[in-house]
Amino acid sequence: MTDRVTFFDTTLRDGEQSPGAAMTLDGKLKIARVLAALGVDVIEAGFPVSSPQQAEAVREIVAALGDEDPVICALARAKSGDIEAAGAALRGGKRTRIHTFIATSDIHIAAKFSAPRFGATLREQRKSILAMTRDAIAQALEYTDDVEFSAEDAGRTDHGFLCDVVSTAVEAGATTINIPDTTGYCTPSSYAALFEAARTCAGPSAILSTHCHDDLGLAVANTLAGVEAGARQVEVTINGLGERAGNASIEEVAMALRVRADQYGVTHGLNTETLGEASRLVAVVTGFPVAPNKAVVGSNAFAHEAGIHQHGVLQNRETYEIMSAGDVGADAESIRLGRHSGRHGLFSRLDRLGLEVADADRDAVYERFVALADRKKEIYDADLHLIANPATMTDSATPFTLASLTVTTSTTEPPQAEVTLLIGATGELRVETATGDGPVDAIYRALDGAAGRPHRLESYTIRALTGAADAQGEALVVVSDGPALAQGKATSTDILRASAEAYIEARNGLDNDRPQEGDFVQEGIMASFDPA
Ligand code: MN
């Protein structure tokens, strides 16, 4: 048994299944590059059969990453069409893996394999599952020699049957055997017991893997219990993103294994100094903020407030810190960027944050910085990620761009908005005024008037993105036109302006008629099992 733990990151697959966290293709590519820099061993890039967007994301990630980069993995149910789709999406990749799974717990078997063709009794249904396991692995091996098998809901699977499935999968040629606690039901001791049961049936060559969910807040504890019980792969996500309460978080598992190497006695290949950057990128791409008190990557994880603690840390950091901020890429400096900062201060900080800015973009980035610094006391690192991200910059090639916005609200009159909209196709500036139930309603009515075609507002969310009263607000809107849906997101210190820009981005998405993320019906694909 090796003492190195393989890090399998599923932010782009299980993490993408977080309700409301649908990622754009561009966002997924950025995350894949950050995962490669972080040094994860395997990236689970998607579930190709579930939607054309998922298949495209896997293909694009295979194309974007080099031979030295992590293994790219695609998920497939133990079904011929799924494995074909996974194999096709991975085509051309040098180091690829197919991860196939089938449900093994009694409750899943009763729900998914009740059709007569799977057998009349539990015994017959289990036999069918073993046969499908064998067939799926054999088919996956036609595409790659790196095949992983998962016994879905292993956490609630009978140990005897789990043993049968595991030995069948190893005999069929799977080299990694995942024992997922799909529902987050296990405790550390019960999860460890599953590994003890699986170990004897898997034989010495197969790598056993953990996959834990946080429904009881035990995902990281269970993952570590799995490692103690012999697991040498951990399936994790950045910021603990994932279905329902999420998966075990990569930053917590990685640092627990490092800080307590004395107990676990294993190594891993992660460049933990990039954990902070990875966490911030995933927060921006998904719109899911990280809680300030989140372990390892929260903004308070290395902040000291109490006088006694501050004094102790000044004497010797180790009095109150078990790891250093630098180990995880957290900000241990107190350099403040504001309106008096020059270009040197800005770009050296961006460099340190790993935010590359092309020479051609530097003037535009600096202008954005100065414009924001004029409206804020202090520029935070989170602001810099937005300033440096070209996706949030104005692009005159888009159908509509907001040129100006004036909103008036008072206690005696209905709110009124005046907008000036730049029409990309003609360069024309259209001004429109409207009143509404509230200022946002007034803005959206005015924008509809200027753009010439009303759309239906499906949802609208506003939240503070960075700390303090001069925080950036982020608006997230979904608009529809008939059956087509599009999402828009914008940030500004002015929430009304962010609301306007998010609405325009969503409308531009509809006008460009691009296929949208979010077509993946989460419950549907996981709950239905209907082999063709
Ligand atoms: Mn999962």
Side-chain angles (χ1 to χ4, degrees):
M1 189 182 291
T2 167
D3 65 351
R4 188 179 188 279
V5 170
T6 295
F7 268 76
F8 176 113
D9 183 281
T10 185
T11 305
L12 296 173
R13 202 279 298 168
D14 214 325
E16 213 257 358
Q17 287 173 221
S18 303
M23 303 168 189
T24 61
L25 177 58
D26 181 55
K28 288 181 182 182
L29 285 166
K30 282 183 182 153
I31 292 173
R33 289 194 189 96
V34 157
L35 289 171
L38 179 56
V40 305
D41 301 284
V42 185
I43 294 174
E44 188 162 54
F47 190 0
V49 83
S50 67
S51 75
Q53 288 78 23
Q54 291 266 322
E56 183 190 17
V58 174
R59 281 198 306 273
E60 293 289 327
I61 289 168
V62 165
L65 295 192
D67 297 351
E68 299 300 305
D69 283 322
V71 171
I72 307 298
C73 174
L75 185 68
R77 288 168 298 183
K79 256 183 99 165
S80 165
D82 283 40
I83 290 166
E84 233 170 77
L90 293 170
R91 192 174 298 134
K94 283 280 187 296
R95 302 171 66 218
T96 61
R97 172 183 294 190
I98 291 177
H99 175 193
T100 186
F101 71 96
I102 195 164
T104 55
S105 65
D106 291 357
I107 187 169
H108 276 236
I109 292 172
K112 297 176 178 176
F113 303 107
S114 57
R117 65 180 176 281
F118 297 118
T121 62
L122 178 61
R123 196 181 141 83
E124 288 168 3
Q125 289 160 346
R126 284 177 170 178
K127 263 183 85 176
S128 301
I129 288 169
L130 295 180
M132 288 185 276
T133 298
R134 259 190 302 270
D135 291 349
I137 293 168
Q139 190 190 346
L141 285 167
E142 293 169 15
Y143 297 98
T144 172
D145 53 11
D146 184 349
V147 174
E148 170 170 338
F149 172 77
S150 279
E152 191 191 6
D153 200 19
R156 294 187 296 173
T157 296
D158 170 76
H159 285 201
F161 182 54
L162 182 64
C163 219
D164 292 345
V165 173
V166 165
S167 55
T168 298
V170 173
E171 277 163 29
T175 46
T176 302
I177 303 293
N178 187 34
I179 311 288
D181 181 20
T182 307
T183 57
Y185 176 74
C186 289
T187 60
S189 57
S190 74
Y191 196 56
L194 283 174
F195 281 81
E196 278 139 26
R199 179 81 269 162
T200 42
C201 316
S205 63
I207 291 178
L208 297 183
S209 169
T210 67
H211 180 111
C212 298
H213 280 271
D214 212 29
D215 299 72
L216 294 174
L218 293 172
V220 170
N222 288 345
T223 299
L224 297 171
V227 170
E228 281 191 298
R232 287 298 176 266
Q233 174 176 287
V234 291
E235 299 196 358
V236 288
T237 60
I238 293 174
N239 296 342
L241 221 56
E243 283 270 6
R244 306 184 310 281
N247 289 65
S249 85
I250 189 169
E251 54 276 3
E252 294 175 22
V253 173
M255 293 317 290
L257 292 179
R258 170 172 293 188
V259 172
R260 296 312 307 274
D262 60 323
Q263 182 178 340
Y264 296 107
V266 294
T267 61
H268 59 70
L270 296 188
N271 308 310
T272 59
E273 303 77 23
T274 62
L275 283 170
E277 186 200 344
S279 168
R280 286 187 291 270
L281 174 69
V282 168
V284 169
V285 167
T286 60
F288 281 21
V290 173
N293 61 329
K294 165 83 173 62
V296 183
V297 291
S299 57
N300 285 351
F302 296 92
H304 301 275
E305 183 69 27
I308 293 171
H309 286 217
Q310 288 184 349
H311 185 74
V313 165
L314 288 171
Q315 299 284 323
N316 176 359
R317 295 201 81 85
E318 291 182 8
T319 52
Y320 290 98
E321 284 184 2
I322 58 168
M323 52 194 159
S324 78
D327 285 348
V328 299
D331 198 357
E333 292 180 32
S334 55
I335 294 173
R336 299 193 165 205
L337 286 177
R339 61 194 304 174
H340 301 296
S341 306
R343 293 176 73 99
H344 180 78
L346 171 65
F347 289 110
S348 64
R349 181 65 156 264
L350 291 175
D351 272 359
R352 214 173 48 73
L353 292 172
L355 295 168
E356 283 173 33
V357 178
D359 283 348
D361 296 333
R362 285 172 103 87
D363 286 345
V365 167
Y366 186 66
E367 273 168 35
R368 281 163 64 80
F369 168 75
V370 171
L372 187 63
D374 264 346
R375 284 176 282 142
K376 298 190 59 166
K377 287 195 299 287
E378 184 181 347
I379 304 291
Y380 303 103
D381 284 357
D383 296 323
L384 295 176
H385 281 81
L386 300 169
I387 287 169
N389 180 1
T392 61
M393 292 185 191
T394 305
D395 174 5
S396 61
T398 50
F400 302 112
T401 308
L402 183 68
S404 74
L405 168 69
T406 311
V407 184
T408 42
T409 62
S410 77
T411 51
T412 52
E413 301 283 327
Q416 180 175 315
E418 183 196 271
V419 302
T420 306
L421 204 56
L422 172 67
I423 313 300
T426 59
E428 179 197 352
L429 284 170
R430 271 188 218 152
V431 181
E432 186 75 27
T433 305
T435 56
D437 295 334
V440 174
D441 185 44
I443 292 167
Y444 288 1
R445 285 171 192 267
L447 287 172
D448 278 344
R453 201 172 67 186
H455 291 87
R456 198 177 135 86
L457 181 66
E458 296 289 341
S459 76
Y460 169 80
T461 317
I462 186 100
R463 65 189 181 84
L465 203 59
T466 53
D470 57 355
Q472 295 234 57
E474 180 185 78
L476 187 64
V477 306
V478 177
V479 299
S480 66
D481 183 8
L485 278 175
Q487 176 185 289
K489 189 158 71 171
T491 54
S492 172
T493 49
D494 177 342
I495 57 171
L496 294 176
R497 183 172 174 180
S499 301
E501 286 181 342
Y503 189 63
I504 290 167
E505 186 187 299
R507 296 202 42 157
N508 284 342
L510 275 184
D511 283 39
N512 286 334
D513 198 29
R514 288 188 318 235
Q516 296 298 310
E517 292 285 337
D519 298 347
F520 177 30
V521 181
Q522 289 154 1
E523 283 98 342
I525 194 88
M526 300 306 285
S528 70
F529 192 97
D530 184 23

